[in-house]
Amino acid sequence: MSTLPSSGMTERDEIAVVGAGLAGCLLACFLARRGYRVALYERRPDPRTGRVERGRSINLALSERGLDALRRIGLAEQVMADALPMRGRMIHPVDGEPQFQSYSAAGTLAINSISRGALNNALLDAAAALPEVRIAFDHRLVGLDPATGEMTFETPTGKTTAVAPVVLGADGAGSAVRGQLLGHGLLTESLDFLDYGYKELTIPPLGGDFALDPEALHIWPRGTSMMIALPNPDRSFTCTLFWPTHGTASFASLGSPAAIERHFATHYPDLPPLAPNLVDDYQHNPVGVLGTVRCTPWQVGGKVGLLGDAAHAIVPFYGQGANCAFEDVVELDRCLDDCADDWAAALPLFQQRRQDNAEAIARMALTNFVEMRDKVASPVFQLWRRVEHALERALPGRYVSQYELVSFSTTPYAEVRRRVRRQHRVLGAVAAGAVAALVGAVGAAVSRGRR
Ligand SMILES: Cc1cc2nc3c(=O)[nH]c(=O)nc-3n(C[C@H](O)[C@H](O)[C@H](O)COP(=O)(O)OP(=O)(O)OC[C@H]3O[C@@H](n4cnc5c(N)ncnc54)[C@H](O)[C@@H]3O)c2cc1C
C-alpha cells in the first residue's frame, strides 16, 4: 500500500515521529508501510544496548486491542511467544487463602503479561529493519515551531535542528510536543494527578519456579492501598504497590527498614517470605506519579499531531494505556486511508474519532481503581461477577461484561460504556419486574389466606 505523501510533501521529506516508545515505534512501522519516510527521534540512548531504569513498570498487560495492532504488522506472534497469559485475578486477603476470579465466563480468555522492555525492543527492531525509517537516539525535543515544523533537539554533542512537513508527538505523558503547542498558545491541557503513587517490588523465583500462580494477575486489595503482581518470563513477579504519596499511611510514612518490615507483615503478610529484597526495593525504587492527561486539540493545522499518552495518558488500573495507544495508531492509519493521505483532513478526523474513546477509557480506568482497591474482595462483588458470568453464558453475545468488552474486544471504548449502561438498565428493569411480580404474588397469597 504505497501512497505518495500529500500536503505538498516531496518524496525526500520525512515525517517526524517524536518518541520511540511503544506508540512511536509502532507508528513508524505503519507509516513506512504506507510509503512514507520516517525520522523517529528518541531522547534516550538505544535501549537495546543500555541499562533498564530501576523500578519503572517492567511489565504490562497486553490485551486484544494491542494484539490487533501488532497483528497488522506481523509482530503479534513474536511478542506473544514470551507472553504469560493471565486468565483471572487472584485475590489475596489479609487472612486466609487467595481466591481466583476468572476474567471470562468460560475461563478461557486471558490478558497477557509481557515485558515492556522486550516489547519496545521488538518494535524498535521492526522499525529499524525498514529502509524507510531512520532512528535518531539521544535526541530530546526541546523546541518546535508548529508553523514551519522546525524542531530543535538536545543531543550529547549539542543542539541540532530538523524540519518536517508533519510532526507527530508520541512522546508520552510528559510530552514535549504537547508542551510546545501549549507554549505557543495552541492547546489547552488538564493534568489530574492522583494522590496515589506507585512503587515496584520484586518476588524472585522460588526454587527455580514461580512463587505464585503465573496464570493470574495477583491483587492485594486493602481499601486505602493496593498491590498487584504480574508474572515475568524469568519466573519472577513484578509487584506494583499503589499507595498515597503523603500522609500518615503513605509512602512517606515508612522511614526505617523495621517500619517497612512491620507494615508488610501486617498488611501483606504473604509477601515478606516471598520477597527477600523487599526492604531494599522499597527504599531504592522510585515512587512514580499517576494521573490523567487531557488536552485539546490533538492537532494543529494538519501539521503537528499528538497520540498515545502524549494526547491522553490515563491511570493504569484497566491495563489499557498501551493498548489504547496502539489502537490510536490503527485509527490514524485508517484516517489516512479515508482521507487519501491528506494530513490536514486526517489529523482532525483522528481526533474526532478517538477523543471520546480516550475519555471513556480514562473514566473506566479511574473507576476500576476503586473496584480493584475495595470491591474485588467483597462477597457482593464476587456474587455480581458470578451473576454476570451466568448471564454471559445464558445470553452469549447479548450480555457481555464491561471487562470482556474492554479487554477482549475492539469495541470502541465509548461504545463499551454505552452498551454496559444499556445492559445494566435492562437488568435493573428485569430485576424490578421480578420483585414486583414477587410482591404481587405474595400479596395475592396473603389476601387468599385471609379470605
Ligand atoms: C505503573 C504502570 C503500569 C502500566 N500498566 C499497563 C498495562 O498493564 N497495560 C497497558 O496497556 N498500559 C499500561 N500502562 C500504560 C502504558 O505504559 C502507557 O500507556 C504507554 O507506555 C504509552 O505509550 P506511549 O508510546 O504513548 O508513551 P511512552 O511509552 O511513555 O513512550 C514515550 C517515548 O517518548 C520518549 N520521549 C519523551 N520525551 C521526549 C522528548 N522530549 N524528545 C524525544 N523523545 C522523548 C520517551 O523516552 C519514550 O521512549 C502502565 C503505566 C504505568 C505507569
Side-chain angles (χ1 to χ4, degrees):
M1 188 196 332
S2 181
T3 42
L4 247 197
S6 65
S7 312
M9 281 181 223
T10 70
E11 281 198 68
R12 287 181 51 246
D13 287 333
E14 290 174 320
I15 304 272
V17 176
V18 182
L22 301 181
C25 291
L26 184 74
L27 178 61
C29 294
F30 270 71
L31 292 177
R33 211 174 54 146
R34 299 190 73 80
Y36 290 106
R37 297 176 64 234
V38 182
L40 186 52
Y41 297 102
E42 169 56 46
R43 70 174 172 193
R44 296 171 302 170
D46 189 341
R48 294 167 298 179
T49 55
R51 278 189 319 122
V52 177
E53 264 180 277
R54 183 173 177 149
R56 284 282 176 214
S57 181
I58 285 168
N59 50 21
L60 50 80
L62 186 69
S63 47
E64 180 53 27
R65 293 165 203 269
L67 284 170
D68 173 62
L70 293 174
R71 269 182 221 117
R72 291 168 192 258
I73 55 160
L75 261 193
E77 219 171 288
Q78 180 190 334
V79 167
M80 284 299 284
D82 288 326
L84 294 159
M86 302 177 289
R87 291 177 211 291
R89 303 159 161 162
M90 187 72 81
I91 309 299
H92 294 247
V94 178
D95 304 308
E97 287 302 302
Q99 287 161 359
F100 183 76
Q101 298 173 4
S102 163
Y103 281 134
S104 61
T108 47
L109 300 178
I111 56 173
N112 305 286
S113 176
I114 51 159
S115 151
R116 169 193 290 273
L119 176 61
N120 207 154
N121 290 351
L123 285 163
L124 270 172
D125 283 343
L130 299 168
E132 297 88 349
V133 180
R134 174 175 72 84
I135 310 181
F137 291 105
D138 286 314
H139 275 59
R140 175 192 291 269
L141 183 117
V142 290
L144 170 66
D145 182 339
T148 61
E150 180 172 290
M151 300 160 284
T152 306
F153 297 97
E154 258 171 23
T155 76
T157 51
K159 283 199 173 160
T160 176
T161 58
V163 184
V166 177
V167 178
L168 299 169
D171 50 345
S175 170
V177 174
R178 193 180 72 238
Q180 290 294 319
L181 296 180
L182 190 69
H184 282 84
L186 295 169
L187 163 152
T188 55
E189 68 170 19
S190 79
L191 314 177
D192 290 324
F193 289 106
L194 289 189
D195 298 336
Y196 282 72
Y198 72 93
K199 188 186 278 280
E200 294 204 338
L201 308 166
T202 306
I203 298 178
L206 186 64
D209 207 350
F210 289 103
L212 300 168
D213 182 346
E215 291 206 25
L217 187 153
H218 294 260
I219 307 182
W220 288 257
R222 296 293 181 264
T224 53
S225 70
M226 171 179 87
M227 189 168 69
I228 63 169
L230 275 72
N232 296 312
D234 68 358
R235 295 174 182 245
S236 67
F237 278 85
T238 302
C239 307
T240 311
L241 174 65
F242 298 95
W243 210 15
T245 43
H246 293 96
T248 43
S250 73
F251 282 118
S253 64
L254 302 183
S256 67
I260 296 166
E261 279 166 6
R262 225 177 9 250
H263 177 79
F264 282 96
T266 308
H267 299 284
Y268 301 93
D270 50 348
L271 184 68
L274 304 177
N277 297 326
L278 180 60
V279 170
D280 185 60
D281 279 352
Y282 189 91
Q283 287 185 316
H284 295 105
N285 286 352
V287 177
V289 293
L290 298 167
T292 306
V293 172
R294 295 180 175 90
C295 69
T296 201
W298 288 2
Q299 66 86 37
V300 171
K303 210 170 168 55
V304 182
L306 298 170
L307 78 164
D309 274 16
H312 51 70
I314 59 177
V315 294
F317 304 110
Y318 229 119
Q320 283 296 310
N323 287 286
C324 180
F326 282 180
E327 210 176 38
D328 277 358
V329 174
V330 173
E331 190 57 58
L332 180 55
D333 190 50
R334 213 175 273 138
C335 291
L336 286 166
D337 272 345
D338 293 348
C339 298
D341 288 80
D342 176 1
W343 285 89
L347 285 177
L349 182 63
F350 169 70
Q351 173 175 357
Q352 188 193 320
R353 288 183 179 171
R354 285 302 281 168
Q355 207 164 19
D356 284 356
N357 290 314
E359 180 58 27
I361 189 59
R363 285 170 187 256
M364 287 190 279
L366 282 164
T367 311
N368 217 38
F369 185 28
V370 181
E371 180 166 318
M372 290 174 86
R373 201 177 68 187
D374 279 338
K375 294 192 186 160
V376 283
S378 96
V380 176
F381 176 85
Q382 287 166 22
L383 177 66
W384 168 241
R385 286 301 287 163
R386 279 200 289 276
V387 169
E388 275 209 308
H389 285 337
L391 284 168
E392 286 177 297
R393 278 189 292 268
L395 305 167
R398 288 173 52 210
Y399 186 94
V400 187
S401 73
Q402 177 172 297
Y403 193 88
E404 280 209 44
L405 288 167
V406 168
S407 301
F408 305 129
S409 88
T410 53
T411 306
Y413 293 120
E415 175 54 27
V416 170
R417 289 193 87 208
R418 285 193 289 271
R419 177 167 174 178
V420 167
R421 271 197 227 114
R422 269 197 314 272
Q423 290 181 166
H424 287 177
R425 265 201 307 274
V426 172
L427 264 190
V430 169
V435 170
L438 191 65
V439 168
V442 170
V446 168
S447 64
R448 265 200 311 277
R450 280 210 191 103
R451 277 205 303 275

